Amino acid sequence: MNLVHLAALFQEQKLWFVTSAHLSKDTLHVYFGLTLFLLIRLAWRRRGGWLAAWLAVLAMACGGEWLDMQAEASRAAIQPDAAHWHDIWNTMFWPTVLLLVGRWLQPALRPKEEPLPAEVSDEDAERGLEQA
């Protein structure tokens, strides 16, 4: 499968999803961006998960727009660059907001509590002297 076929298949699937879900293309971008962000974030709960999820959405948005441009080039119907940037902006807006406020959404780690030392009673002190 070459690049032209891949881009055409991507466009076909995207248009099918838009018509079957009764969503606009802009809404589709927002939903897919949020879904990917949340899935990556839920799978990667360690440190750096917020950034990894954001980068995954950025890669998806840029890759999708690149496939869109390839399909447009094959049909000789190239849209202006502003339309492509608009799609990337729509896809990245809410994941970016979540990335920026994510540290306040995550519960703070509690420091490990050290066990309290056992109380020393006078009884134990007297036994120590007797055994010596």
Side-chain angles (χ1 to χ4, degrees), residues 4-132:
V4 175
H5 292 293
L6 180 65
L9 180 65
F10 176 74
Q11 284 289 67
E12 181 182 318
Q13 293 299 315
K14 191 164 93 170
L15 290 176
W16 173 83
F17 198 80
V18 166
T19 56
S20 65
H22 304 291
L23 297 172
S24 69
K25 286 184 182 180
D26 288 341
T27 306
L28 185 69
H29 282 272
V30 172
Y31 285 175
F32 270 92
L34 273 175
T35 302
L36 180 63
F37 184 88
L38 292 174
L39 288 175
I40 299 281
R41 187 60 189 115
L42 287 172
W44 188 336
R45 293 183 174 240
R46 294 185 316 262
R47 184 181 180 135
W50 294 101
L51 184 60
W54 188 85
L55 289 172
V57 175
L58 180 64
M60 180 198 69
C62 292
E65 286 309 306
W66 184 76
L67 285 172
D68 283 349
M69 288 190 293
Q70 297 303 316
E72 291 167 7
S74 69
R75 293 188 324 256
I78 298 176
Q79 291 184 356
D81 286 341
H84 296 290
W85 285 113
H86 175 79
D87 288 346
I88 292 172
W89 165 251
N90 271 340
T91 307
M92 295 304 301
F93 179 76
W94 284 112
T96 302
V97 170
L98 290 174
L99 173 71
L100 295 175
V101 300
R103 68 182 297 183
W104 294 287
L105 294 175
Q106 190 167 350
L109 294 175
R110 295 182 187 174
K112 292 186 179 182
E113 296 179 12
E114 295 181 20
L116 296 174
E119 291 184 29
V120 178
S121 68
D122 294 336
E123 237 176 66
D124 291 337
E126 289 177 17
R127 272 193 213 139
L129 290 175
E130 292 171 2
Q131 292 175 356

